[in-house]
Amino acid sequence: ILLLCAYAYRAKNYIGVYTIYGIHTGHLAVYARGGFERFGFEPRRFSLSPAQQEKVLSVLKNEPSVEIFERQIRGQGLIGNGCISLPFQAQGYEPEVDRALRSHPEVKNWMPHFNYLLAGQGMWRYPGSVNPILLSKGLALALGKSRLYDEIGSAPPSAPDCSNPREQGSRDSNVQLLAGAWAGTLSAADGEVVGLYTTGFQETENSGILAPVSFLQKLFDTDRIASFSVWLKEPGKLPEVRKRLEEKLGEEFETLRWDEERLSPYYVGTVDFLNTLVVAGALVLSSIIALSVLNSATMTILERSQEIGMYRSMGFRKSQLKILYVEESLWLSLFSLFSGAAIGIDRKSTRLNSSH
């Protein structure tokens, strides 16, 4: 039971840290009212305007419980290497925030060996003029982007030879992105592949792109963003911080907790499965243990029948004998429980959220 609970505890914290810090969900997400559900269909209407961004920034900067916050944007389109084009799903981050999250104490504690980069370096190492982007490994393979910006540099791409599209892709680190601008027109931009990464999900491994928010704003021809992600200094104060932010922001915004099912379905589903696993396993093991203890106690009494007869001949009553055997079982149980508790204690472990 200790091992089962320890596995579930470790898994929950690992997945929680990955959700909060690894994929930039944050402890809280701030959207325009209705933006979470409808942004993908009407991004211009359900995104945050520059005025709304200024209001959110002002509130977040004056909230002492906020540790880090970040603007985010997302969208889709086509990406090509000069010969072939493939669909992409892009997520826009703030490069410096991404850098801070990778070295966060929670990440080092629960995910010491985590590295989402498979090749290359983080976007924060490059100026915005380079237009740095990261490709998911499946998309990079399909485009033939095996050589990165650091290896090739900013030399202009050569004339395409589309007889072998993948070989053409490996000649340079340049990619062309085409997307629908939020105003209703088409927009295009060039980017340089500075790294390859894994999304962690099979569904997006063949189409994922990470890019700076400013680059995606240029691609979608907008000064709006999708949302803010907010990280707190003390996650245990999440409910009260959320309440304060909602009061200050007003009705035109909505906030979502990181552990809500609609924001983090993978986390919630995994945690529910782990809870079911622990409860089912504990019930089975407890039943086996209870039957074993019962059998052991019964055998002890049968084997000590002569001892019981001797006590009775000395004048002990049945109630006194019952007390002796109950006390013996009690002390043995207490010794076992304290021994098990001592083995199970991990003084170095910390919880992500005191509410869990």
Side-chain angles (χ1 to χ4, degrees):
I1 292 176
L2 278 172
L3 289 172
L4 185 61
C5 291
Y7 167 76
Y9 176 77
R10 176 71 186 180
K12 287 179 185 178
N13 280 280
Y14 184 96
I15 298 169
V17 168
Y18 179 77
T19 301
I20 295 170
Y21 299 96
I23 57 176
H24 290 235
T25 301
H27 294 102
L28 282 172
V30 181
Y31 288 84
R33 179 65 60 182
F36 179 77
E37 289 83 7
R38 305 185 66 179
F39 172 81
F41 304 102
E42 299 178 82
R44 183 175 178 83
R45 179 181 175 187
F46 291 98
S47 55
L48 298 174
S49 67
Q52 290 174 313
Q53 294 175 49
E54 286 298 323
K55 182 176 182 179
V56 175
L57 286 171
S58 176
V59 171
L60 295 178
K61 288 178 180 178
N62 291 308
E63 174 54 55
S65 297
V66 171
E67 181 181 21
I68 311 172
F69 55 84
E70 174 188 58
R71 299 181 307 151
Q72 292 189 5
I73 189 172
R74 60 182 183 273
Q76 56 277 330
L78 294 175
I79 182 171
N81 63 2
C83 291
I84 58 174
S85 296
L86 299 169
F88 70 82
Q89 293 283 342
Q91 182 72 39
Y93 295 154
E94 301 279 6
E96 286 302 323
V97 173
D98 186 51
R99 181 181 187 180
L101 294 179
R102 302 302 165 191
S103 58
H104 195 278
E106 287 286 352
V107 175
K108 290 184 176 180
N109 183 30
W110 292 104
M111 306 172 67
H113 306 296
F114 172 70
N115 185 11
Y116 73 110
L117 284 173
L118 303 176
Q121 303 185 76
M123 297 182 290
W124 62 82
R125 296 182 179 272
Y126 305 90
S129 58
V130 173
N131 290 338
I133 65 172
L134 303 178
L135 296 183
S136 60
K137 63 179 182 180
L139 185 57
L141 180 65
L143 293 173
K145 291 300 175 181
S146 57
R147 303 173 70 192
L148 305 178
Y149 179 79
D150 284 344
E151 181 182 353
I152 299 175
S154 57
S158 57
D161 177 10
C162 295
S163 58
N164 190 332
R166 288 191 177 180
E167 183 179 345
Q168 166 61 30
S170 65
R171 293 180 179 178
D172 56 60
S173 62
N174 184 264
V175 289
Q176 305 83 48
L177 294 93
L178 178 69
W182 289 5
T185 59
L186 285 177
S187 178
D190 282 82
E192 298 291 339
V193 181
V194 300
L196 308 181
Y197 78 105
T198 176
T199 65
F201 301 102
Q202 186 62 39
E203 294 85 352
T204 56
E205 200 67 88
N206 296 326
S207 60
I209 288 179
L210 295 182
V213 170
S214 57
F215 174 72
L216 291 184
Q217 284 181 317
K218 180 170 64 175
L219 175 63
F220 299 129
D221 191 22
T222 183
D223 54 3
R224 293 170 169 261
I225 63 170
S227 63
F228 279 89
S229 286
V230 182
W231 290 266
L232 305 182
K233 298 175 183 177
E234 299 180 66
K237 296 182 178 180
L238 178 58
E240 57 192 81
V241 174
R242 180 187 187 184
K243 184 178 180 180
R244 282 201 302 269
L245 292 179
E246 288 178 339
E247 291 174 351
K248 294 177 182 178
L249 291 173
E251 293 296 326
E252 60 180 325
F253 301 92
E254 66 175 331
T255 62
L256 300 177
R257 288 173 53 122
W258 70 276
D259 52 0
E260 290 186 38
E261 185 173 6
R262 58 178 181 158
L263 184 60
S264 305
Y266 286 99
Y267 170 79
V268 174
T270 303
V271 168
D272 287 345
F273 168 75
L274 288 173
N275 289 336
T276 303
L277 178 67
V278 169
V279 171
L283 286 174
V284 172
L285 290 172
S286 297
S287 300
I288 295 172
I289 292 167
L291 291 173
S292 299
V293 171
L294 179 62
N295 180 67
S296 177
T298 302
M299 292 301 297
T300 298
I301 294 174
L302 292 176
E303 291 174 356
R304 296 165 70 179
S305 58
Q306 294 181 351
E307 182 180 332
I308 295 173
M310 182 187 67
Y311 284 134
R312 289 286 288 161
S313 66
M314 294 172 61
F316 281 80
R317 295 189 297 272
K318 289 183 179 180
S319 59
Q320 291 175 316
L321 292 177
K322 288 180 181 178
I323 292 173
L324 285 176
Y325 281 96
V326 168
E327 286 185 352
E328 180 181 303
S329 299
L330 176 63
W331 286 111
L332 284 172
S333 300
L334 290 175
F335 175 78
S336 302
L337 287 171
F338 280 113
S339 299
I343 294 171
I345 289 175
D346 183 358
R347 300 181 185 278
K348 295 181 180 180
S349 295
T350 55
R351 291 183 181 273
L352 284 173
N353 192 323
S354 61
S355 65
H356 288 175

XYZ file of all heavy atoms in Angstrom, residues 19-78:
483
model
N 2.291 19.962 -16.293
C 1.149 20.756 -16.766
C 1.349 22.240 -16.466
O 1.107 23.093 -17.328
C -0.148 20.259 -16.101
O -0.340 18.875 -16.414
C -1.350 21.054 -16.586
N 1.784 22.561 -15.253
C 1.896 23.962 -14.841
C 3.070 24.661 -15.510
O 2.929 25.762 -16.054
C 2.028 24.054 -13.314
C 0.756 23.555 -12.640
C 2.303 25.496 -12.877
C 0.874 23.395 -11.139
N 4.240 23.990 -15.486
C 5.465 24.643 -15.951
C 5.931 24.135 -17.316
O 6.418 24.913 -18.134
C 6.593 24.428 -14.934
C 6.295 25.006 -13.578
C 5.772 24.210 -12.561
C 6.523 26.350 -13.287
C 5.498 24.730 -11.303
C 6.249 26.876 -12.040
C 5.737 26.054 -11.055
O 5.454 26.580 -9.817
N 5.781 22.843 -17.567
C 6.307 22.274 -18.796
C 5.608 22.770 -20.040
O 6.256 23.059 -21.048
N 4.281 22.863 -20.006
C 3.530 23.313 -21.185
C 2.892 24.682 -20.957
O 1.947 25.063 -21.638
C 2.466 22.281 -21.585
C 1.497 21.986 -20.446
C 3.122 20.999 -22.045
C 0.364 21.044 -20.841
N 3.402 25.414 -19.961
C 3.048 26.823 -19.756
C 1.572 27.049 -19.435
O 1.021 28.102 -19.757
C 3.405 27.649 -20.997
C 4.873 27.818 -21.221
N 5.471 29.044 -21.364
C 5.888 26.925 -21.316
C 6.764 28.893 -21.555
N 7.041 27.596 -21.519
N 0.928 26.101 -18.778
C -0.464 26.323 -18.393
C -0.570 27.370 -17.295
O -1.514 28.169 -17.277
C -1.108 25.005 -17.915
O -1.032 24.040 -18.969
C -2.563 25.211 -17.530
N 0.423 27.384 -16.366
C 0.362 28.303 -15.234
C -0.600 27.797 -14.169
O -1.329 26.822 -14.365
N -0.615 28.471 -13.032
C -1.592 28.141 -11.995
C -2.968 28.710 -12.338
O -3.992 28.169 -11.948
C -1.139 28.689 -10.642
C 0.105 28.030 -10.119
N 1.349 28.625 -10.185
C 0.296 26.820 -9.546
C 2.249 27.806 -9.655
N 1.642 26.712 -9.264
N -2.963 29.824 -13.061
C -4.201 30.459 -13.514
C -4.044 30.881 -14.968
O -2.943 31.254 -15.407
C -4.520 31.692 -12.666
C -5.128 31.481 -11.276
C -5.187 32.808 -10.533
C -6.515 30.867 -11.365
N -5.128 30.827 -15.707
C -5.160 31.333 -17.078
C -6.241 32.402 -17.170
O -7.354 32.208 -16.661
C -5.444 30.201 -18.063
N -5.911 33.525 -17.781
C -6.845 34.647 -17.913
C -7.244 34.780 -19.375
O -6.386 34.954 -20.253
C -6.213 35.959 -17.409
C -7.221 37.107 -17.545
C -5.746 35.812 -15.962
N -8.548 34.699 -19.643
C -9.097 34.804 -20.991
C -10.117 35.934 -21.047
O -10.650 36.359 -20.018
C -9.815 33.512 -21.397
C -8.904 32.336 -21.680
C -8.447 31.531 -20.645
C -8.533 32.027 -22.979
C -7.627 30.446 -20.901
C -7.718 30.940 -23.248
C -7.260 30.156 -22.210
O -6.440 29.083 -22.467
N -10.396 36.383 -22.262
C -11.574 37.227 -22.459
C -12.806 36.370 -22.182
O -12.776 35.147 -22.329
C -11.602 37.774 -23.884
N -13.885 36.997 -21.747
C -15.104 36.251 -21.426
C -15.540 35.410 -22.638
O -15.761 35.922 -23.735
C -16.204 37.223 -21.043
C -17.535 36.593 -20.695
C -17.436 35.737 -19.451
N -17.017 36.499 -18.273
C -16.822 35.972 -17.067
N -17.007 34.663 -16.886
N -16.428 36.731 -16.063
N -15.637 34.106 -22.451
C -15.992 33.193 -23.529
C -14.834 32.810 -24.435
O -15.006 32.026 -25.367
N -13.646 33.338 -24.149
C -12.515 33.125 -25.031
C -11.979 31.710 -25.037
O -11.488 31.236 -26.062
N -12.080 31.022 -23.915
C -11.528 29.674 -23.863
C -12.251 28.743 -24.835
O -11.627 27.952 -25.540
C -11.601 29.117 -22.442
C -11.073 27.724 -22.321
C -9.712 27.495 -22.298
C -11.936 26.636 -22.248
C -9.209 26.200 -22.216
C -11.443 25.335 -22.154
C -10.080 25.124 -22.139
N -13.561 28.824 -24.882
C -14.336 27.930 -25.745
C -14.381 28.416 -27.190
O -14.400 27.611 -28.117
C -15.773 27.797 -25.230
C -15.922 26.993 -23.948
C -15.643 27.820 -22.706
O -15.469 29.057 -22.836
O -15.590 27.225 -21.606
N -14.374 29.733 -27.429
C -14.700 30.249 -28.761
C -13.540 30.938 -29.473
O -13.692 31.393 -30.607
C -15.885 31.207 -28.642
C -17.088 30.567 -27.967
C -18.291 31.465 -27.953
N -18.811 31.716 -29.283
C -19.885 32.462 -29.554
N -20.549 33.012 -28.552
N -20.291 32.649 -30.787
N -12.371 30.993 -28.825
C -11.233 31.655 -29.465
C -10.864 31.003 -30.787
O -10.563 31.674 -31.775
C -10.022 31.646 -28.525
C -8.754 32.127 -29.173
C -8.501 33.480 -29.307
C -7.817 31.219 -29.664
C -7.336 33.923 -29.914
C -6.655 31.654 -30.269
C -6.415 33.015 -30.390
N -10.882 29.666 -30.839
C -10.486 28.968 -32.050
C -11.384 29.247 -33.237
O -10.942 29.137 -34.387
N -12.648 29.628 -32.994
C -13.587 29.893 -34.079
C -13.625 31.370 -34.461
O -13.780 31.710 -35.637
C -14.992 29.430 -33.673
C -15.047 27.988 -33.265
C -15.096 27.621 -31.932
C -15.036 26.988 -34.226
C -15.147 26.296 -31.552
C -15.089 25.649 -33.862
C -15.139 25.303 -32.524
N -13.492 32.242 -33.473
C -13.519 33.687 -33.727
C -12.386 34.358 -32.940
O -12.620 35.035 -31.946
C -14.859 34.280 -33.312
C -16.054 33.710 -34.063
C -17.369 34.305 -33.580
O -17.712 35.414 -34.045
O -18.028 33.673 -32.725
N -11.139 34.173 -33.393
C -10.006 34.674 -32.609
C -10.003 36.187 -32.432
O -9.603 36.682 -31.372
C -8.792 34.192 -33.409
C -9.298 33.933 -34.784
C -10.703 33.479 -34.614
N -10.436 36.910 -33.430
C -10.401 38.364 -33.309
C -11.412 38.854 -32.265
O -11.135 39.776 -31.497
C -10.694 39.015 -34.661
C -10.598 40.534 -34.638
C -10.780 41.122 -36.029
N -10.737 42.579 -35.989
C -9.619 43.295 -35.983
N -8.442 42.689 -36.015
N -9.663 44.609 -35.952
N -12.571 38.228 -32.212
C -13.621 38.672 -31.297
C -13.348 38.226 -29.863
O -13.634 38.959 -28.918
C -14.971 38.123 -31.768
C -16.134 38.504 -30.873
C -17.434 37.910 -31.389
N -18.550 38.155 -30.483
C -19.761 37.641 -30.626
N -20.022 36.853 -31.667
N -20.707 37.902 -29.742
N -12.804 37.029 -29.686
C -12.640 36.470 -28.346
C -11.174 36.436 -27.903
O -10.761 35.557 -27.162
C -13.243 35.071 -28.283
C -14.736 35.069 -28.392
C -15.358 34.821 -29.609
C -15.524 35.347 -27.289
C -16.743 34.828 -29.720
C -16.910 35.355 -27.378
C -17.521 35.097 -28.602
N -10.397 37.388 -28.366
C -9.023 37.549 -27.911
C -8.925 38.807 -27.051
O -9.911 39.525 -26.865
C -8.073 37.642 -29.113
O -8.488 38.676 -29.985
N -7.740 39.065 -26.534
C -7.522 40.220 -25.655
C -6.911 41.367 -26.449
O -5.827 41.224 -27.021
C -6.601 39.830 -24.497
C -7.138 38.740 -23.555
C -6.080 38.328 -22.546
C -8.396 39.210 -22.833
N -7.605 42.488 -26.472
C -7.132 43.669 -27.186
C -5.981 44.317 -26.426
O -5.742 44.004 -25.254
C -8.275 44.669 -27.345
O -8.650 45.175 -26.069
N -5.228 45.243 -27.057
C -4.153 45.939 -26.342
C -4.632 46.628 -25.062
O -3.924 46.606 -24.043
C -3.649 46.955 -27.370
C -3.932 46.314 -28.687
C -5.225 45.585 -28.497
N -5.815 47.226 -25.087
C -6.336 47.874 -23.879
C -6.608 46.859 -22.777
O -6.309 47.103 -21.592
C -7.613 48.648 -24.220
N -7.180 45.716 -23.161
C -7.432 44.662 -22.172
C -6.126 44.088 -21.634
O -6.009 43.779 -20.448
C -8.275 43.553 -22.803
C -9.711 43.960 -23.097
C -10.470 42.875 -23.843
O -9.970 42.303 -24.820
N -11.686 42.582 -23.388
N -5.137 43.962 -22.495
C -3.829 43.480 -22.048
C -3.221 44.423 -21.019
O -2.646 43.973 -20.016
C -2.889 43.334 -23.242
C -3.301 42.263 -24.237
C -2.410 42.249 -25.464
O -1.178 42.250 -25.365
N -3.017 42.238 -26.635
N -3.340 45.717 -21.256
C -2.800 46.692 -20.304
C -3.492 46.587 -18.951
O -2.854 46.697 -17.903
C -2.961 48.110 -20.871
C -1.992 48.435 -22.005
C -0.545 48.378 -21.546
O -0.256 48.774 -20.392
O 0.299 47.924 -22.332
N -4.791 46.354 -18.973
C -5.521 46.221 -17.715
C -5.065 44.984 -16.947
O -4.830 45.043 -15.730
C -7.020 46.140 -17.991
C -7.870 46.049 -16.720
C -9.358 46.071 -17.032
C -10.177 46.017 -15.736
N -11.646 46.068 -16.022
N -4.923 43.861 -17.657
C -4.473 42.626 -17.007
C -3.055 42.790 -16.476
O -2.739 42.383 -15.351
C -4.546 41.437 -17.980
C -3.969 40.181 -17.338
C -5.987 41.182 -18.413
N -2.174 43.407 -17.272
C -0.795 43.618 -16.838
C -0.736 44.470 -15.577
O 0.032 44.192 -14.653
C 0.008 44.282 -17.961
C 0.376 43.394 -19.151
C 0.979 44.235 -20.272
C 1.354 42.311 -18.734
N -1.567 45.503 -15.528
C -1.590 46.376 -14.346
C -2.020 45.616 -13.103
O -1.427 45.777 -12.026
C -2.541 47.551 -14.607
O -2.652 48.362 -13.460
N -3.040 44.772 -13.244
C -3.528 43.996 -12.100
C -2.485 42.981 -11.651
O -2.218 42.825 -10.447
C -4.856 43.286 -12.462
C -5.254 42.300 -11.367
C -5.966 44.314 -12.675
N -1.863 42.291 -12.596
C -0.890 41.256 -12.252
C 0.366 41.844 -11.608
O 0.933 41.256 -10.679
C -0.518 40.445 -13.493
C -1.635 39.607 -14.123
C -1.132 38.891 -15.367
C -2.194 38.601 -13.127
N 0.803 42.997 -12.089
C 2.001 43.616 -11.530
C 1.780 44.090 -10.101
O 2.731 44.162 -9.313
C 2.432 44.797 -12.401
C 3.034 44.386 -13.738
C 3.385 45.598 -14.577
C 3.994 45.184 -15.911
N 4.308 46.359 -16.771
N 0.543 44.394 -9.749
C 0.233 44.885 -8.399
C -0.273 43.786 -7.469
O -0.715 44.086 -6.365
C -0.815 46.003 -8.484
C -0.257 47.263 -9.130
O 0.777 47.767 -8.716
N -0.926 47.743 -10.159
N -0.231 42.543 -7.926
C -0.648 41.418 -7.087
C 0.603 40.761 -6.493
O 1.388 40.131 -7.214
C -1.437 40.404 -7.910
C -1.793 39.122 -7.180
C -2.519 39.354 -5.866
O -3.567 40.033 -5.876
O -2.016 38.868 -4.832
N 0.832 40.886 -5.186
C 2.069 40.368 -4.582
C 2.228 38.856 -4.652
O 3.340 38.345 -4.547
C 1.978 40.841 -3.125
C 0.521 41.092 -2.884
C -0.033 41.543 -4.187
N 1.147 38.121 -4.821
C 1.234 36.661 -4.863
C 1.652 36.116 -6.218
O 1.938 34.924 -6.352
C -0.124 36.045 -4.476
O -0.473 36.377 -3.156
N 1.707 36.980 -7.240
C 2.069 36.538 -8.588
C 3.583 36.493 -8.719
O 4.277 37.468 -8.425
C 1.457 37.476 -9.650
C 2.006 37.140 -11.030
C -0.063 37.356 -9.651
N 4.086 35.368 -9.167
C 5.529 35.199 -9.369
C 5.946 35.544 -10.790
O 6.876 36.310 -11.019
C 5.935 33.759 -9.042
C 7.422 33.494 -9.207
C 7.788 32.050 -8.894
O 6.883 31.172 -8.946
O 8.964 31.793 -8.605
N 5.275 34.959 -11.770
C 5.572 35.164 -13.189
C 4.252 35.205 -13.942
O 3.279 34.574 -13.549
C 6.432 34.017 -13.773
C 7.637 33.715 -12.891
C 6.904 34.339 -15.187
C 8.410 32.472 -13.325
N 4.208 35.955 -15.034
C 3.058 35.897 -15.937
C 3.552 36.011 -17.365
O 4.652 36.481 -17.632
C 2.027 36.988 -15.606
C 2.571 38.381 -15.581
C 2.699 39.131 -16.740
C 2.977 38.948 -14.379
C 3.204 40.417 -16.714
C 3.477 40.242 -14.339
C 3.597 40.970 -15.511
N 2.707 35.589 -18.288
C 3.137 35.481 -19.676
C 1.964 35.688 -20.624
O 0.865 35.196 -20.390
C 3.744 34.086 -19.897
C 4.101 33.784 -21.333
C 4.517 32.334 -21.527
O 3.699 31.440 -21.202
O 5.644 32.102 -21.978
N 2.201 36.403 -21.704
C 1.224 36.496 -22.789
C 1.338 35.253 -23.665
O 2.429 34.749 -23.881
C 1.479 37.742 -23.632
C 1.378 39.057 -22.894
C 1.632 40.220 -23.839
N 2.888 40.048 -24.564
C 3.133 40.540 -25.776
N 2.213 41.237 -26.411
N 4.305 40.339 -26.365
N 0.220 34.769 -24.170
C 0.232 33.604 -25.046
C -0.678 33.840 -26.242
O -1.656 34.589 -26.171
C -0.219 32.344 -24.289
C 0.750 31.877 -23.232
C 0.387 30.519 -22.658
O -0.554 29.866 -23.115
N 1.133 30.086 -21.661
N -0.328 33.168 -27.329
C -1.121 33.230 -28.548
C -1.003 31.882 -29.239
O -0.001 31.186 -29.071
C -0.628 34.377 -29.472
C -1.587 34.582 -30.647
C 0.786 34.113 -29.971
C -1.258 35.813 -31.477
N -2.014 31.503 -29.965
C -1.960 30.231 -30.673
C -2.752 30.344 -31.970
O -3.589 31.222 -32.141
C -2.504 29.090 -29.819
C -3.946 29.242 -29.392
C -4.388 28.088 -28.494
N -5.794 28.181 -28.138
C -6.268 28.862 -27.115
N -5.426 29.513 -26.325
N -7.570 28.888 -26.859
N -2.472 29.425 -32.876
C -3.165 29.439 -34.155
C -2.663 28.319 -35.047
O -1.828 27.494 -34.646
N -3.155 28.281 -36.269
C -2.782 27.226 -37.194
C -2.599 27.797 -38.584
O -2.983 28.927 -38.866
C -3.820 26.114 -37.216
C -5.234 26.573 -37.534
C -5.951 27.098 -36.319
O -5.702 26.666 -35.193
N -6.837 28.045 -36.534
N -1.989 26.977 -39.441
C -1.738 27.400 -40.809
C -0.955 26.340 -41.547
O -1.036 25.151 -41.227
N -0.180 26.757 -42.541
C 0.648 25.851 -43.326
C 2.105 26.256 -43.190
O 2.426 27.446 -43.157
C 0.244 25.886 -44.804
C -1.147 25.347 -45.162
C -1.423 25.563 -46.642
C -1.262 23.868 -44.817
